[in-house]
Amino acid sequence: MAEDTSDFGHVPVLADRCVTLLTPALTRRHPDGSGALLVDATLGAGGHAERFLTALPGLRLIGLDRDPSALDIAASRLAPFGDRVTLIHTRYDGLAEALAESGYPATGSVDGVLFDLGVSSMQLDRRERGFSYAHDAPLDMRMDPTAPQTAADIVNTYDEAALADILRRYGEERFARRIAAEIVRRRRGTPFTSTGQLVEVIYHAIPAPARRTGGHPAKRTFQALRIAVNAELDSLESALPVALNALADGGRVVVLAYQSLEDRIVKRAFADASASRTPTGLPVELPGHAPQFKSLTRGAERADDTEIQRNPRSAAVRLRALEKIRPHTEHDAQAARKGDR
């Protein structure tokens, strides 16, 4: 999703690592991926999808994206793979419905799921979308341009307390109250229509010493509004259980997160999925209480210097992955001691 000189202009983050983690699940039936299904829940420009489809000529892929322009770009990029690819316009929390639309059960039908979260550089590069604080543009920030609410709607209609709450919760902005108060004061005269107007207000609301550290003063506010406009965290919290439920035994899920709020949600969901349900203190694993998933990463993996130099967007990435465990027999479950796992 970061800039490159290729025809499609974007480099998928940690693509090699994603291929390494997901391929064992996609090649369980056949080395070329025949019979396997991969869901790319955040298709974007199709860079990750192209890597998998090229490496595994028998693989089928369902690609989801809420952005129609991204789907158009991906459709062109993935056209050589023909009917092995199905593209669906939906948020990733619509995964179960997308599977049903494609003729697959919502439970146990998928071999791999990939989430590459956040805003793509493709969206950032298009000034008219209003995601970037670096260029003056309409105050929009919708990943799906057909969605009803824009960033301008929030900035112009939410009361001061609600604005401050959004900036604090989604942007972790310590000057949230000051910024919200300045927004409300300024909009009484002229409603906000552009990113440039908002950047100016943020600049004046944040004390000068604070503006000199921590990056661009508008960074946290723009993140918060983007998350609110697109309901990103609510969508992620809904999507992860659906994705885990969709996995077949031996299936795998990989998530790339780029900011701490996303990663906390992923970390919590993955920890819960890989935890034993047997009460603490019992010497054996109770039947039906063993973990359903195991972690494939030790904590969150980060990009190395070589990856970051090749693709600067990867500097912020945190990668986590799980595998669905094949259920043990009752005899195995009774014999397994919790301390031996």
Side-chain angles (χ1 to χ4, degrees), residues 66 90-97 115 231 234-236 238-239 242:
R66 67 175 74 187
T90 185
R91 298 191 329 185
Y92 41 69
D93 56 357
L95 193 154
E97 292 78 7
F115 290 90
D234 291 341
S235 180
L236 179 60
S238 298
V242 174

Side-chain angles (χ1 to χ4, degrees), residues 71-96:
L71 288 173
D72 289 342
I73 293 170
S76 176
R77 183 176 200 158
L78 304 179
F81 303 105
D83 61 5
R84 293 167 54 201
V85 177
T86 301
L87 304 185
I88 298 177
H89 178 216
T90 185
R91 298 191 329 185
Y92 41 69
D93 56 357
L95 193 154

Side-chain angles (χ1 to χ4, degrees), residues 6-339:
S6 67
D7 290 343
F8 293 93
H10 305 280
V11 180
V13 172
L14 291 178
D16 291 341
R17 184 59 175 147
C18 291
V19 169
T20 298
L21 285 166
L22 288 171
T23 294
L26 303 175
T27 55
R28 290 175 298 135
R29 299 174 186 85
H30 194 279
D32 74 353
S34 294
L37 175 65
L38 172 65
V39 175
D40 188 335
T42 49
L43 185 66
H48 285 105
E50 184 180 43
R51 285 288 301 273
F52 282 101
L53 290 163
T54 301
L56 301 172
L59 179 68
R60 290 191 57 84
L61 180 135
I62 296 175
L64 315 180
D65 208 289
R66 67 175 74 187
D67 186 341
S69 64
L71 288 173
D72 289 342
I73 293 170
S76 176
R77 183 176 200 158
L78 304 179
F81 303 105
D83 61 5
R84 293 167 54 201
V85 177
T86 301
L87 304 185
I88 298 177
H89 178 216
T90 185
R91 298 191 329 185
Y92 41 69
D93 56 357
L95 193 154
E97 292 78 7
L99 287 173
E101 181 181 332
S102 305
Y104 294 92
T107 301
S109 63
V110 177
D111 299 284
V113 182
L114 176 65
F115 290 90
D116 186 10
L117 303 174
V119 64
S120 72
S121 60
M122 177 179 61
Q123 291 165 329
L124 289 171
D125 291 345
R126 295 190 172 186
R127 298 184 183 185
E128 70 275 10
R129 303 294 293 275
F131 288 106
S132 175
Y133 44 76
H135 309 286
D136 192 25
L139 189 56
D140 193 318
M141 300 193 194
R142 290 173 297 175
M143 292 180 177
D144 180 353
T146 67
Q149 187 178 61
T150 68
D153 294 328
I154 292 177
V155 168
N156 288 319
T157 64
Y158 282 33
D159 65 29
E160 183 176 325
L163 285 171
D165 183 60
I166 286 173
L167 302 188
R168 189 179 301 109
R169 279 196 297 142
Y170 298 151
E172 300 179 296
E173 173 57 74
R174 62 188 175 118
F175 299 107
R177 188 170 295 279
R178 293 178 62 139
I179 294 170
E182 185 67 11
I183 286 172
V184 170
R185 187 185 71 80
R186 291 286 190 97
R187 78 188 187 193
R188 291 193 188 108
T190 305
F192 287 86
T193 59
S194 74
T195 57
Q197 290 173 298
L198 182 59
V199 169
E200 180 185 1
V201 166
I202 296 166
Y203 186 85
H204 287 291
I206 295 178
R211 294 200 302 264
R212 292 192 283 267
T213 60
H216 196 287
K219 178 180 179 181
R220 291 175 293 276
T221 294
F222 270 61
Q223 173 184 298
L225 289 172
R226 190 201 79 219
I227 289 173
V229 167
N230 298 288
E232 292 177 44
L233 300 187
D234 291 341
S235 180
L236 179 60
E237 287 186 325
S238 298
L240 289 174
V242 174
L244 296 178
N245 187 56
L247 288 177
D249 295 339
R252 295 184 172 193
V253 57
V254 172
V255 181
L256 306 175
Y258 297 86
Q259 41 98 346
S260 59
L261 297 174
E262 293 172 339
D263 187 54
R264 286 174 205 161
I265 292 171
V266 178
K267 179 180 179 180
R268 185 167 58 246
F270 279 18
D272 182 63
S274 58
S276 168
R277 268 57 176 177
T278 296
T280 303
L282 292 186
V284 298
E285 190 79 78
L286 294 179
H289 288 65
Q292 294 181 296
F293 294 84
K294 68 176 181 180
S295 179
L296 300 173
T297 58
R298 187 180 296 273
E301 294 185 357
R302 307 300 296 265
D304 60 22
D305 291 342
T306 300
E307 173 81 12
I308 293 171
Q309 185 175 6
R310 185 183 70 90
N311 189 355
R313 182 172 181 259
S314 66
V317 74
R318 299 168 176 88
L319 181 150
R320 298 180 189 270
L322 288 184
E323 178 180 330
K324 187 171 185 181
I325 302 171
R326 294 178 178 84
H328 295 295
T329 65
E330 184 175 347
H331 173 76
D332 290 338
Q334 290 174 338
R337 294 189 175 275
K338 292 170 67 179

